[in-house]
Every structure is written in C-alpha cells, then in structure tokens.
Amino acid sequence: MKYLHILALGGVALAVSVPLMTNYCIDGVNVSFYLRRLQKICPEDIFLLLPSLLVRAGAPVEFVYKLLLFGLNVATAGISYLCFYGIFRDRLTGVMGSMLYTWAPYRLNDLYCRADLGEAIALCFLPILFYGLYQICREETDSREYRRLWIVLALGYTLIVQVYLLSFLVAVGFTILYGILTWKRIFRRPALIVLLKTAAAFLVCNLWLFLILFLRLREGTFSMAAFRGEMIQSGGVFPSVFLQLFFLNGSSFRTAGVGTENMQPMGVGFAVTAGVLIFLWLVFVGRYRDRMEDREFCRFEKSMGIAGAIVAVMATNCFPWDWLQKQNGVFFRLIASLQSPSRLMPMVLLCFIVLTCGVVWQVKKQEKASVGMSLAMMIAALSLVSVQYLTGDILSTGEPRSLYGVEYGEPEGEERLLPENLDISPWDYGKYEKGN
C-alpha cells in the first residue's frame, strides 16, 4: 500500500498512451513539422535535443516521436502529482489531481490532434506555478521552505519560457490576475522579497533567450500573430464545452461558421466541471462555513475559483475580443499575440482541478472517509469514460502520418472566403454567407 500511488500514476500515464501503441504516427496538424524537426539538432530546442540525438544515432524518427509523447505523459502525471500532493498533503487527492490534469481533453488535443509539442511540454510545468502561488500566500512566512520558494517559482517560469513563449505570457498574465485577487497576501514584505528574487533569478537564467528573440525581431525572422493582423475571437470555445463529456478527434480550431463541427477537443472534461458544480453547491449551502481550521486553504480555493471563472469567460467566443482589438493599435497587437482565446484553457483547467480536488479533500477530511472515496471514484469514473472515448476516436479516425506527408496549410482560392475560414466572431459569421 505504501507505493500504491506510484502504480496509480503509472496507470494514469498508460491510459492516455494507448494511441501510441501503433506501428505508425497518428495524423495530427503539426506532426510532419515535428518529425522533420527531430532530424535536426537545434540548441534552442532544449527538450528536443535528446530525441534528436537518438535520431542521429539511428533510431527511427517516428519511434522517437512516439517515445517523446510517452515521456510527456509520464512527466505530466508525475509532476502534477507532486504539485497537487504539495498543496493538499494527501496522496489520494494528489493522484486524482494528476489524473484529471493528465487526462484533460485539452492536453490530449495538444498531443494527438493539434500535435503542438511546444504547448504540450509547457503543460508539464504549469502545475509548478500553481504550487508556488499556493505557497506564497501561506501565513507561515518565516519557514525555510518559504524563503526558498523563489527557486520553485523561477524554475517553473524558466522551464515554460524555454519551451513555449506563448504559454509563458499566459502564465504571467494569470499570475498578475491572481496577484490582484490576493493583493492582501501578496503585498507583504516576505512575499514581495520572494517575488523579487524570482524575477531576478528568472532574468539571469533566461537573458540569453531574450537576447536571441530581440535579434530575431530586428532581423524580421520572428513571427507572431500580432504582426500578421489576425482577429482571435473565432478561436474561442463555446460555453457548452464545459458540459461536454464525449470529445472527438478534430482539426478545426475556429468556431465561426461551423460551430462545434470537427472541432478540436479543447475542453476541461465534464469530471472537472462536476467537481466545480459540487464546490458551488457546498458554498451555497454553507456546509463548511463554520470550520476555521482550514481557513488558509479555503482562501486559496476561493481565489482560484474566482480567477478560473474570469479566465473561463475570456476563453470563450462570447468574450468581445474582436471589439477590444478594434479599439486601438496597442490592444490589437497585445490581444493578437494570444493567437486564440482557447490558449487560456490550461489556466482554467488547473483552477477548476484545484476546486475539484479541494472538494474531495474536504469531504474526505470532514465527513466519513468512505464518502470522500465514493466521491473520488465517481469523478474518476467520469474522467475515465471521457478519456477512453476520446483516445478510441483518435485511434479509429487517425491516419498514418509519414515524415514527408502533406501538411495542413492555409485555405486557398475561394476557400478563404468561406465563413469558417474568416477571422471573425462566430456570432457575426452569418453576415458573410453568400446571399446576405
């Protein structure tokens, strides 16, 4: 029983690695790009160096690619477990948090449907930031662990920025939002010292990277959506995605014109939504209102719930991103750099997982242990059904992808004028249909 959680984490990683148990690479939007990338050795791609060396040593590039994806599943399960266990100090809750995060449809979309390895690797390290944000608002600020917290935060931000700049910008934006919501805890001398040390360590460790980015900007070889004149609202998710249990393999990320047809699975999973709904019910009835021994954690849970709700609204196609972009040039460039509102979903996912895990932790601690276990099993069953349906659809609809396969590109000719290919709000696409 001592190492049961390790076996559970192994099962979590294996459950989402089923699409890798083939003799080919499953089709994905960017698979061909990364297969070719693995044949090169680029010092900037730190996390692709070892796989590239394996390819140079003679290993088949498709095998190395799938090995990399399996490693990401194992790393995500392990790192997220350590972070959630660090927050709740409970193995069951830590395993459940790892399961919900590793099995999230959005993460599987990055691995198999979109094949966005940059963001998929960054998702491995995002839980580190949430662990750091929890620790920085603790009341015990004179401990050795608290004084060394800047190392954890600097490491988390460094790992993310080295992998995917956009994920880093989203993480910084969320940190600012969380700081505003918890300003009473942030604007304390110990917390400010930790943040200053974090910023200094981060700049020292990543100065070379920002220098390279600056030089590429001057040369014009660094491209972002902000410089391509794109509107982003059509890339937001429909609110109904939060109530969706079954997800399908898809290739489209815009919702204008086609709605949810052929959409990529970008949800958090209904198991997480169910946990949030239970949390809201407990808050409404005031079930644990008079229990003050967990006040510190409840404060953290409340701030995560508010932050998650705000970001969830911003991630949908209902939020007026297009209107904001049209206000002035500065807004346009800043918002366009986000590429798509759906890029905010990892933050929504982690916030809502914190709420779900918090519900299980509180029920287990303050009610009978069997009640907490039953609740955990119900949430796990919902998550398992969802992930098995998605991985099964990926296996049944995914086609072999070769090294020199045809990549997905931009629509050509008259296809550019179709509503689903226009960068417009999904609520306005009817204006552009033929005959209107």
Side-chain angles (χ1 to χ4, degrees):
M1 296 295 291
K2 182 178 180 181
Y3 301 103
L4 185 60
H5 65 286
I6 298 178
L7 294 176
L9 293 176
V12 167
L14 286 175
V16 289
S17 299
V18 174
L20 303 177
M21 300 175 187
T22 61
N23 59 353
Y24 57 88
C25 281
I26 292 181
D27 188 15
V29 177
N30 297 311
V31 170
S32 295
F33 169 79
Y34 281 104
L35 289 177
R36 289 194 295 268
R37 190 90 174 186
L38 289 175
Q39 290 193 318
K40 305 175 183 179
I41 297 181
C42 302
E44 301 172 16
D45 297 331
I46 297 177
F47 293 93
L48 297 182
L49 279 179
L50 181 58
S52 297
L53 290 174
L54 290 176
V55 173
R56 288 297 183 91
V61 62
E62 292 87 355
F63 169 77
V64 173
Y65 177 78
K66 292 197 293 183
L67 186 64
L68 176 59
L69 295 188
F70 178 72
L72 287 179
N73 287 332
V74 174
T76 302
I79 293 175
S80 58
Y81 167 77
L82 292 175
C83 294
F84 285 111
Y85 175 75
I87 293 174
F88 296 96
R89 299 296 177 182
D90 180 73
R91 295 192 187 279
L92 173 64
T93 311
V95 170
M96 195 184 71
S98 173
M99 177 196 67
L100 293 174
Y101 188 66
T102 307
W103 291 358
Y106 186 94
R107 200 187 78 85
L108 298 186
N109 177 52
D110 276 347
L111 283 181
Y112 303 121
C113 306
R114 182 189 293 166
D116 190 348
L117 286 191
E119 187 176 35
I121 298 174
L123 290 179
C124 290
F125 309 119
L126 278 179
I128 298 176
L129 300 185
F130 277 68
Y131 170 77
L133 292 177
Y134 168 71
Q135 294 293 338
I136 203 171
C137 291
R138 291 176 54 191
E139 295 180 357
E140 299 177 2
T141 60
D142 56 347
S143 64
R144 179 181 300 180
E145 181 183 4
Y146 193 92
R147 290 194 295 269
R148 294 180 178 177
L149 184 58
W150 65 272
I151 300 176
V152 176
L153 288 170
L155 178 64
Y157 286 115
T158 296
L159 290 172
I160 295 172
V161 76
Q162 290 292 334
V163 176
Y164 200 57
L165 181 59
L166 180 56
S167 292
F168 168 73
L169 296 177
V170 172
V172 170
F174 178 82
T175 304
I176 294 174
L177 173 62
Y178 181 79
I180 294 173
L181 294 175
T182 59
W183 63 273
K184 290 183 179 181
R185 314 296 298 175
I186 294 296
F187 286 96
R188 299 179 299 169
R189 186 173 181 274
L192 291 176
I193 291 176
V194 168
L195 292 176
L196 289 175
K197 287 184 178 180
T198 300
F202 173 80
L203 290 175
V204 170
C205 294
N206 300 281
L207 185 60
W208 65 275
L209 177 63
F210 292 117
L211 180 60
I212 292 176
L213 292 178
F214 175 75
L215 294 176
R216 287 191 174 182
L217 282 172
R218 290 193 59 184
E219 295 171 357
T221 58
F222 182 74
S223 178
M224 290 185 66
F227 305 105
R228 298 198 297 266
E230 294 182 355
M231 309 293 281
I232 72 167
Q233 187 171 336
S234 61
V237 300
F238 276 103
S240 60
V241 76
F242 293 100
L243 300 176
Q244 191 172 346
L245 177 62
F246 300 109
F247 294 85
L248 298 174
N249 182 18
S251 59
S252 175
F253 73 93
R254 292 193 179 102
T255 53
V258 295
T260 58
E261 181 181 356
N262 199 33
M263 279 296 298
Q264 296 175 357
M266 294 186 291
V268 299
F270 184 72
V272 176
T273 303
V276 175
L277 293 176
I278 296 173
F279 169 78
L280 293 176
W281 178 79
L282 292 177
V283 172
F284 177 75
V285 300
R287 179 72 172 177
Y288 304 119
R289 185 177 300 167
D290 297 328
R291 300 181 183 272
M292 303 301 293
E293 63 269 20
D294 301 321
R295 182 174 51 185
E296 184 175 293
F297 171 77
C298 292
R299 186 188 300 117
F300 170 73
E301 199 174 35
K302 179 181 177 181
S303 61
M304 279 295 169
I306 296 174
I310 293 173
V311 181
V313 172
M314 297 173 67
T316 67
N317 52 29
C318 301
F319 193 79
W321 289 112
D322 288 355
W323 179 82
L324 289 174
Q325 281 187 271
K326 294 175 183 178
Q327 298 308 303
N328 56 64
V330 175
F331 279 15
F332 178 86
R333 290 183 177 273
L334 289 176
I335 296 174
S337 299
L338 185 60
Q339 296 183 3
S340 169
S342 62
R343 296 289 189 177
L344 300 173
M345 288 299 287
M347 295 302 169
V348 180
L349 173 65
L350 281 166
C351 287
F352 286 177
I353 289 178
V354 168
L355 296 185
T356 304
C357 291
V359 167
V360 174
W361 180 76
Q362 285 185 338
V363 171
K364 179 185 174 184
K365 183 177 180 181
Q366 300 172 359
E367 303 287 349
K368 293 181 180 180
S370 58
V371 177
M373 184 63 69
S374 299
L375 178 60
M377 291 179 63
M378 182 198 72
I379 293 175
L382 286 173
S383 185
L384 180 62
V385 169
S386 182
V387 73
Q388 288 300 305
Y389 189 91
L390 176 56
T391 53
D393 188 69
I394 291 172
L395 278 171
S396 61
T397 60
E399 299 178 356
R401 189 74 162 181
S402 66
L403 176 61
Y404 301 103
V406 179
E407 293 187 74
Y408 288 94
E410 293 295 325
E412 299 180 358
E414 294 184 358
E415 293 183 357
R416 291 180 177 271
L417 303 179
L418 295 176
E420 59 266 28
N421 292 326
L422 294 174
D423 284 321
I424 58 176
S425 168
W427 306 102
D428 297 329
Y429 80 88
K431 302 176 183 178
Y432 297 85
E433 290 183 326
K434 294 182 179 179
N436 289 353

